Amino acid sequence: ELQLVESGGGLVQPGGSLRLSCASSGFTFSSYWMYWVRQAPGKGLEWVSSIDHGGTNTYYANSVKGRFTISRDNAKNTLYLQLNSLKTEDTAMYYCARDSRGNTRGQGTQVTVSS
């Protein structure tokens, strides 16, 4: 059974940092591109970042480029997202996903940016 379990969210002040993790199981993690998507209150799912099978190529939404960093450890079947210089508009539920639309995703981890 495919499982994606996110962790690392929390409440942080503007300008702060968080590191999200996503532990995967039930599929061959190293064979898939992986994604982070997010959903702000009252809004739809938004693609945030992508990473290829080996972690060589990464892609970011313009809204997070230069502040967020996606990475993966295929030996640990784990996906990461480093969030720096957080803004209030980054407040959302963050999901790791096996597709860019978030159709196959975990339960999410909440990130709240507030002073």
Side-chain angles (χ1 to χ4, degrees):
E1 178 187 0
L2 184 151
Q3 283 197 321
L4 298 167
V5 181
E6 302 91 338
S7 61
L11 173 63
V12 62
Q13 292 186 341
S17 298
L18 286 171
R19 189 192 194 203
L20 309 184
S21 299
C22 172
S24 71
S25 61
F27 66 103
T28 305
F29 180 75
S30 59
S31 296
Y32 288 84
W33 284 56
M34 293 296 296
Y35 306 84
W36 286 98
V37 298
R38 68 185 181 184
Q39 187 167 27
K43 297 189 177 181
L45 281 172
E46 174 192 18
W47 169 75
V48 174
S49 183
S50 307
I51 188 168
D52 71 359
H53 314 85
T56 301
N57 297 298
T58 58
Y59 304 89
Y60 300 92
N62 287 336
S63 58
V64 307
K65 197 173 295 182
R67 300 187 298 120
F68 292 6
T69 303
I70 190 172
S71 62
R72 66 191 297 162
D73 185 336
N74 286 343
K76 296 182 178 179
N77 294 334
T78 302
L79 179 71
Y80 303 99
L81 187 68
Q82 178 69 40
L83 290 65
N84 295 331
S85 302
L86 281 161
K87 304 176 180 181
T88 55
E89 53 262 43
D90 295 318
T91 294
M93 185 73 78
Y94 284 71
Y95 302 91
C96 70
R98 210 176 67 172
D99 65 281
S100 62
R101 294 188 176 185
N103 291 328
T104 304
R105 64 182 185 269
Q107 86 291 343
T109 186
Q110 178 68 39
V111 172
T112 302
V113 185
S114 175
S115 55

